[in-house]
Amino acid sequence: MYSFKGKIEIPSKVDEEELLMVAAIGNDVDDMELVEGDEEGTIVVCTNPNESAAMFEAVKSIGLDEGAKMSLSHDVSKAPVECSKENFEKNMAIIDALKEVDDVDSVEHNMSN
């Protein structure tokens, strides 16, 4: 239901996605996607897990590596589900409560809205 992705969280905004793309190509990264990070002021670069190290080198090559974090994730849903606004709000309340538990590192879902 989920697929693995390499993720690099960068604590800044990248205004020029093209600059990051050129750096990725220069480091033999075939595919990448930029998405907004969970924390304000961060972006996440998603890649094939086998290309994570090369993508991190690309990030370093343009000087965005300070505070960057690299990880593997399985949180990319292959089957997103759209919920009603009411159900979405209820689910998010549960997710927020789970995130407050000390033993929980992250909570993933497949809601598309």
Side-chain angles (χ1 to χ4, degrees):
M1 183 175 327
Y2 291 94
S3 62
F4 279 109
K5 289 284 183 181
K7 292 171 59 174
I8 300 167
E9 186 173 347
I10 304 169
S12 65
K13 289 284 185 189
V14 176
D15 294 327
E16 297 184 38
E17 183 177 353
E18 191 172 320
L19 179 66
L20 197 51
M21 286 284 258
V22 170
I25 291 168
N27 282 280
D28 298 323
V29 176
D30 293 327
D31 190 26
M32 61 160 268
E33 177 186 9
L34 285 179
V35 295
E36 261 186 57
D38 291 336
E39 297 177 26
E40 189 175 331
T42 64
I43 60 164
V44 175
V45 182
C46 297
T47 66
N48 178 315
N50 298 333
E51 296 178 334
S52 295
M55 189 66 228
F56 195 73
E57 289 301 315
V59 167
K60 285 175 28 177
S61 74
I62 58 174
L64 295 175
D65 58 319
E66 187 175 327
K69 295 182 255 179
M70 184 170 62
S71 63
L72 292 178
S73 176
H74 64 277
D75 66 351
V76 179
S77 175
K78 292 181 181 178
V81 175
E82 189 157 336
C83 300
S84 68
K85 184 176 179 179
E86 180 183 348
N87 285 339
F88 179 79
E89 289 173 0
K90 288 178 182 178
N91 285 323
M92 289 309 296
I94 293 169
I95 289 170
D96 289 341
L98 287 170
K99 286 180 178 179
E100 296 298 318
V101 176
D102 289 339
D103 293 336
V104 175
D105 291 330
S106 69
V107 180
E108 310 300 336
H109 62 82
N110 66 336
M111 294 182 293
S112 64
N113 38 336

